[in-house]
Amino acid sequence: MNYKIIIALLVLSFFSGTTMALNDSEWIYKEKQESLKSTPGCQSKEAAIEKAQSPYRVKKYAQLICQYEGYGWTLSEVTDHGTTLCDECGGDDKGKYSCYLSNVTVQCKTIKRSW
């Protein structure tokens, strides 16, 4: 009787680690176009534009665009950086700007599932 339990546990442990993906080289791609988040605070126009176009910021928020698609979606590449638009701040920060990238096109990917 102990052998039946051991065999059953071995069979369960063998099948518990199977992957649900067909192959690591089979991907599904999708292109999305959205605007990125504006820069925090108000700065001079040149500084706000430089901050909005920084590679770290573009990659970070482009990754979020893909993650909004659902579980398993990740950034493949940024195909178009779009245009930089700036909004003038009001109140005490009159003459300063907050900028963002509009119409950024990204290519998202996820692994093809077998089921």
Side-chain angles (χ1 to χ4, degrees):
M1 180 153 161
N2 288 336
Y3 291 116
K4 290 180 182 178
I5 293 174
I6 292 173
I7 291 173
L9 288 175
L10 286 174
V11 168
L12 286 175
S13 67
F14 176 75
F15 287 111
S16 67
T18 59
T19 181
M20 299 302 282
L22 286 174
N23 194 345
D24 288 342
S25 62
E26 294 185 34
W27 294 92
I28 300 171
Y29 292 93
K30 186 184 287 190
E31 260 193 20
K32 293 192 73 174
Q33 183 176 10
E34 289 187 28
S35 296
L36 299 185
K37 200 173 174 183
S38 62
T39 57
C42 296
Q43 303 169 342
S44 67
K45 192 167 189 172
E46 295 80 22
I49 288 173
E50 184 180 328
K51 191 170 189 178
Q53 293 176 347
S54 73
Y56 171 76
R57 184 176 179 76
V58 171
K59 185 177 179 183
K60 176 182 174 183
Y61 289 108
Q63 178 68 38
L64 287 177
I65 291 173
C66 291
Q67 288 175 352
Y68 292 149
E69 192 63 33
Y71 177 75
W73 287 94
T74 186
L75 178 67
S76 176
E77 66 177 314
V78 179
T79 54
D80 183 21
H81 288 276
T83 58
T84 306
L85 300 176
C86 296
D87 297 327
E88 188 172 4
C89 298
D92 294 339
D93 293 325
K94 195 78 170 165
K96 294 185 178 181
Y97 294 88
S98 177
C99 298
Y100 65 96
L101 293 176
S102 176
N103 298 329
V104 175
T105 305
V106 297
Q107 187 176 34
C108 304
K109 67 179 180 178
T110 189
I111 196 157
K112 187 174 181 182
R113 292 173 178 84
S114 62
W115 300 94

